[in-house]
């Protein structure tokens, strides 16, 4: 069963309310896990010790911070905002544009 042997773990703020011993146990379990892990956390020390790749989500933008060298330099990437997109129901939806501060 997938639940007994997952390939991916998605953890939302896994360090909340954990004491130091529990943090250590969680870190060890994540390191030993053979699948992929997606983690949302504000605990910088914890994520720096475990994550090979970090993405900053802030102000409606996503920015890669420490991508592995095999991904190449992402500094040259250009992001463009979509004007419209198609949702899961097949409907074309206009994308709300961010306000530009002058």
């Amino acid at each position: 069963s997938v639940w007994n042997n997952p390939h991916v773990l998605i953890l939302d703020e896994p360090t909340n309310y954990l004491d130091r011993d529990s943090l250590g146990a969680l870190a060890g379990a994540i390191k030993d896990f053979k699948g992929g892990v997606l983690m949302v956390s504000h605990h910088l020390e914890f994520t720096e010790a475990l994550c090979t790749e970090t993405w900053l989500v802030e102000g409606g933008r996503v920015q890669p911070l420490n991508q592995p060298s095999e991904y190449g330099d992402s500094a040259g990437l250009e992001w463009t905002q979509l004007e419209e997109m198609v949702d899961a129901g097949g409907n074309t939806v206009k994308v709300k544009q961010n306000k530009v501060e002058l």
Side-chain angles (χ1 to χ4, degrees), residues 85-97:
M85 60 183 280
V86 178
D87 68 12
N91 304 305
T92 300
V93 179
K94 291 191 185 264
V95 176
K96 181 178 176 184
Q97 300 294 317

Side-chain angles (χ1 to χ4, degrees), residues 5-67:
N5 191 14
H7 298 287
V8 177
L9 294 177
I10 300 174
L11 306 172
D12 184 13
E13 297 291 352
T15 60
N16 284 1
Y17 310 110
L18 296 182
D19 61 17
R20 195 151 191 75
D21 291 339
S22 299
L23 283 172
L26 178 60
I30 291 172
K31 282 182 181 179
D32 292 342
F33 182 66
K34 303 296 183 213
V37 178
L38 180 120
M39 185 178 351
V40 176
S41 181
H42 291 89
H43 196 296
L44 188 60
E45 181 182 359
F46 187 80
T47 56
E48 283 181 342
L50 294 171
C51 300
T52 57
E53 194 172 329
T54 303
W55 293 72
L56 175 65
V57 180
E58 180 179 59
R61 298 184 182 270
V62 178
Q63 176 185 359
L65 295 181
N66 65 338
Q67 288 197 342

